[in-house]
Amino acid sequence: FAANQPFSFVKLILKKIALFWNGNELSNNKDFYFFARSASLLKFLIWRWGIYFPFGLIIPLSLVGIILFHSKKLYGPAREREDIYLLEIFLFAYMLSVILFFVTARYRVPVLPVLIIFGSYALDRIYSFLKQKQIFEFGKYLLVFIVILILVNIEIPGYSTANPGQAYYTLGVVYSKKGDMVKAEEEYNKAVFYNPSLGNAYANLASIYGDQGKHDMALEYYQKALQNGADSASVYYNLGVEYYNQGELDQALQNSKASLSLVGNDPKAHYLLGEISLQKGMPEEAIKEYRETVKYEPQNALAFYRLGTIYMQMGQRSEAIDSYENFIQFWKGDPAQIQNVQKLLDELKEKSP
């Protein structure tokens, strides 16, 4: 890349250097500033109100400290200067190691102790200028500090202004896992408000609306999920479930088949197709789908129960017996169901030749 496109390479390196020395705490997946607001202590330690704190303050102080160190008037003993040079070499070498790969906040943290040393030195020297009434020196380095402060806190297009949509989506997922669906719905709605292209947020909202019995809204949001890049196979399957629950069997069949076409063999989708086929009065097709279900999910007790029922109605006793026995073996729910199926099984065995 550097050999074939040298200008693009230099441009990229310069952008990475700017990102490294920018006050913004860059993250590759989570917005530090967003989540810091929810922590009682962290919200005072990391924030962005005009400047990016703390990095947006430490960087200009440290750079002023480096400039002050190299001022001829402030050179100390040779040994002292060598120690400082080592710190500067570390800063340069570490920056180089980061910008060659990937600039994020967590990779930049190791330079903070060194920057704080230079920043502390800058504060000490500037205070000394003021104390000794060296107004010109004080004003000069204060101006340098202000200029650098402005530069390192400038928002870099595409990096600095974080869209909170993904953060709200993450909160929605957390609330969903905790079972607080009211809060989850609230956060997912915020997510799509700030970032209307979050397909998975629409899909999760659709699932919530489906559970609430708001089936029209569920269908609407599943469609939005498909339009915005959500997991298509999952959305098609859930659309199939919604249409099935509303009795729209043709639409349910179409979406279930679309889901299977994307993932190959999904036992859930096969089971749904079996249910749809059964409702449409196609027992042979239902048997095919239920058998595919237990092929890929051998302990699916409900599929075995459906198979047993269909086989019994079709007079295929041996197949019904096998299916009911598998149901009894794998059923983990209400024990009363096992008792009911056991009665059917006993009757079938009595009638068997």
Side-chain angles (χ1 to χ4, degrees):
F1 175 64
N4 296 330
Q5 302 180 48
F7 293 108
S8 296
F9 175 76
V10 170
K11 182 180 177 181
L12 177 61
I13 292 299
L14 290 175
K15 182 173 77 171
K16 286 187 171 183
I17 292 172
L19 289 172
F20 187 90
W21 292 106
N22 187 259
N24 186 25
E25 296 283 4
L26 291 173
S27 172
N28 60 331
N29 52 13
K30 298 291 186 296
D31 183 355
F32 297 121
Y33 302 100
F34 178 89
F35 289 103
R37 298 201 304 260
S38 302
S40 57
L41 178 60
L42 198 58
K43 65 183 177 183
F44 297 108
L45 300 178
I46 177 170
W47 41 263
R48 50 183 174 199
W49 302 328
I51 68 169
Y52 294 105
F53 185 86
F55 222 91
L57 182 61
I58 293 174
I59 289 175
L61 281 173
S62 63
L63 293 180
V64 170
I66 292 172
I67 293 170
L68 280 165
F69 167 71
H70 286 283
S71 171
K72 292 182 179 180
K73 296 179 181 180
L74 299 171
Y75 274 149
R79 177 58 184 171
E80 178 182 321
R81 296 201 303 272
E82 290 175 4
D83 292 341
I84 300 299
Y85 290 147
L86 286 175
L87 295 178
E88 293 178 330
I89 291 170
F90 168 79
L91 282 177
F92 177 79
Y94 190 83
M95 177 192 71
L96 186 63
S97 71
V98 171
I99 65 172
L100 288 176
F101 296 96
F102 191 50
V103 181
T104 61
R106 67 176 184 267
Y107 298 142
R108 194 172 60 172
V109 167
V111 302
L112 272 175
V114 177
L115 293 179
I116 289 171
I117 292 172
F118 282 115
S120 301
Y121 177 69
L123 287 174
D124 178 70
R125 294 305 306 163
I126 291 173
Y127 175 71
S128 296
F129 291 144
L130 184 60
K131 187 176 180 180
Q132 296 169 13
K133 298 183 180 180
Q134 298 180 27
I135 303 303
F136 177 77
E137 295 292 321
F138 171 78
K140 179 174 67 174
Y141 288 107
L142 181 62
L143 179 62
V144 171
F145 166 75
I146 292 172
V147 170
I148 299 175
L149 179 73
I150 294 171
L151 291 175
V152 301
N153 285 284
I154 291 175
E155 292 190 355
I156 298 177
Y159 293 92
S160 297
T161 303
N163 187 305
Q166 185 63 43
Y168 283 119
Y169 170 76
T170 302
L171 282 176
V173 172
V174 172
Y175 283 121
S176 295
K177 290 180 177 180
K178 293 175 66 175
D180 189 345
M181 305 314 293
V182 173
K183 290 293 293 182
E185 179 185 351
E186 180 182 330
E187 299 303 332
Y188 288 139
N189 274 310
K190 290 178 183 177
V192 297
F193 174 80
Y194 285 103
N195 188 351
S197 63
L198 278 176
N200 288 334
Y202 287 115
N204 292 351
L205 278 169
S207 178
I208 291 172
Y209 293 141
D211 292 339
Q212 293 174 350
K214 301 175 182 177
H215 299 295
D216 290 339
M217 289 187 68
L219 291 174
E220 176 189 349
Y221 275 75
Y222 278 132
Q223 294 294 346
K224 287 183 178 181
L226 287 174
Q227 294 165 9
N228 289 281
D231 178 8
S232 298
S234 174
V235 173
Y236 279 125
Y237 169 78
N238 288 323
L239 273 170
V241 172
E242 280 296 325
Y243 282 122
Y244 175 78
N245 290 334
Q246 295 189 55
E248 299 185 34
L249 299 182
D250 291 335
Q251 288 281 6
L253 185 66
Q254 178 183 337
N255 283 281
S256 301
K257 287 184 175 180
S259 175
L260 271 179
S261 70
L262 293 171
V263 296
N265 292 298
D266 178 12
K268 299 194 305 297
H270 280 299
Y271 183 83
L272 179 58
L273 281 170
E275 296 287 280
I276 296 168
S277 300
L278 199 60
Q279 290 293 319
K280 288 174 72 69
M282 301 185 296
E284 294 289 348
E285 189 66 23
I287 287 175
K288 174 187 171 184
E289 296 300 338
Y290 290 133
R291 290 186 69 85
E292 286 294 302
T293 302
V294 298
K295 177 181 177 181
Y296 297 104
E297 190 178 353
Q299 297 185 11
N300 191 312
L302 287 175
F304 280 118
Y305 177 79
R306 293 297 199 203
L307 283 168
T309 302
I310 297 172
Y311 284 134
M312 185 174 68
Q313 292 171 349
M314 296 175 68
Q316 299 180 30
R317 292 178 183 174
S318 61
E319 289 83 355
I321 289 171
D322 288 341
S323 298
Y324 281 142
E325 286 178 342
N326 281 313
F327 170 81
I328 291 172
Q329 179 182 354
F330 298 124
W331 179 248
K332 305 297 183 184
D334 185 359
Q337 285 286 79
I338 294 179
Q339 295 175 6
N340 294 333
V341 172
Q342 186 63 56
K343 290 178 182 179
L344 292 172
L345 192 57
D346 292 340
E347 292 175 6
L348 286 169
K349 288 180 178 179
E350 287 176 4
K351 295 177 182 179
S352 296

